[in-house]
Amino acid sequence: MTDLLENTDTDIESVDERDERPGAAPPGLRSFRVATYNVHSCVGVDAKFAPDRIAGVVKGLEADVVGLQEVGWHHRGEIGLDQFEFLGRETGLKAYSGPTKHNERAHYGNALLSRLPVLEIRPIDLSLPHREPRGAIDADIQVGDKVVRVIVAHLGLDPWERNAQITRVLNTMERGPERPTVFMGDLNEWRPRSPRIKRLMHCFADCAAPRSFHVRMPTLRLDRIFVSDGLVLSNYDVVRTPVTRRASDHLPVRATVALKN
């Protein structure tokens, strides 16, 4: 896999590793709010299956676009409940499912929730042999008079696996039309200066990477929001409340993104 680890000479000493970035969107620029959240099949650290609690957290984010990971039944939660449909209905957002596992009792995978018009949805298969099936949702979203690409992903546990998956995401971006892009999700990347993060920082203009895992003592920056040229990452934070500390094993990360003229 050595060839896939090349192109990592980007200087990332200036990467913002704070848990929040305060500030407002630049005047005159249209902005929208995004968030990423691994919901752990709606089972909290208190072992309670509470999809209504997760829906309440998502609503409280007040985001226009939300990327979710670990949606659905996966040896956890209530068998047969369509968590994709439930979370869309209870949050008032339009839900788009990106299942990576199919079971007659329930599906499992990623989801995109949006209050903005979604023009097109494309799945990205990130599965690799002998590893847990993984995937991403690749969406074109209308923001004012522009189209923004939003990719929601959940990457694997091994470094070589994540590297190959990042390659697939970047290759998919290169094949598509050039447009402002948000790439977000649970990247399972806990080394802030790993070759995988360097590769992504080489391709994106900015990144929100607060400490989001584990909720009992957040030390790892697993959940990230990258933005490309054409977008401004105006502010971001990790949402720590009594509810988010129980609802999942991850904390939600949200950001305000502005479109450059």
Side-chain angles (χ1 to χ4, degrees), residues 61-136:
L61 298 175
E62 298 182 334
D64 299 297
V65 180
V66 184
L68 302 179
Q69 303 84 45
E70 294 193 15
V71 180
W73 181 80
H74 182 55
H75 313 296
R76 300 187 290 258
E78 179 182 327
I79 297 173
L81 176 69
D82 187 338
Q83 292 184 26
F84 299 94
E85 188 276 333
F86 178 90
L87 292 174
R89 182 180 73 247
E90 294 300 312
T91 61
L93 304 173
K94 179 70 173 178
Y96 300 87
S97 60
T100 55
K101 293 183 180 180
H102 299 273
N103 189 287
E104 62 182 7
R105 293 172 289 185
H107 302 312
Y108 172 85
N110 304 307
L112 176 77
L113 306 181
S114 180
R115 73 175 78 256
L116 299 174
V118 175
L119 306 180
E120 187 176 355
I121 290 280
R122 299 169 295 270
I124 303 176
D125 183 7
L126 299 180
S127 297
L128 293 166
H130 313 298
R131 305 301 298 163
E132 178 181 340
R134 301 278 181 173

Side-chain angles (χ1 to χ4, degrees), residues 37-72:
Y37 189 23
N38 182 321
V39 301
H40 198 244
S41 298
C42 297
V43 177
V45 293
D46 55 6
K48 291 182 180 179
F49 175 64
D52 54 335
R53 181 168 58 184
I54 290 292
V57 170
V58 172
K59 288 175 66 175
L61 298 175
E62 298 182 334
D64 299 297
V65 180
V66 184
L68 302 179
Q69 303 84 45
E70 294 193 15
V71 180

Side-chain angles (χ1 to χ4, degrees), residues 6-20:
E6 293 178 353
N7 199 21
T8 61
D9 57 349
T10 304
D11 179 8
I12 61 168
E13 291 302 317
S14 61
V15 171
D16 189 348
E17 292 184 353
R18 295 176 293 174
D19 287 332
E20 65 176 352

Side-chain angles (χ1 to χ4, degrees), residues 1-8 125-128 131 134 154-172 183 187-191 193-201 203:
M1 305 300 293
T2 304
D3 57 327
L4 292 177
L5 295 176
E6 293 178 353
N7 199 21
T8 61
D125 183 7
L126 299 180
S127 297
L128 293 166
R131 305 301 298 163
R134 301 278 181 173
H154 189 188
L155 303 187
L157 298 179
D158 287 339
W160 68 266
E161 182 184 9
R162 293 193 297 275
N163 196 70
Q165 290 163 341
I166 287 170
T167 296
R168 290 189 188 180
V169 170
L170 296 179
N171 287 345
T172 299
F183 173 51
L187 305 190
N188 271 319
E189 193 64 61
W190 48 87
R191 291 174 54 201
R193 288 169 175 76
S194 74
R196 278 77 56 194
I197 294 302
K198 289 183 179 181
R199 290 187 67 201
L200 289 169
M201 290 306 301
C203 297

Side-chain angles (χ1 to χ4, degrees), residues 139-150:
D140 293 334
I141 297 179
Q142 190 78 44
V143 183
D145 60 352
K146 294 188 178 180
V147 177
V148 176
R149 189 174 200 171
V150 176

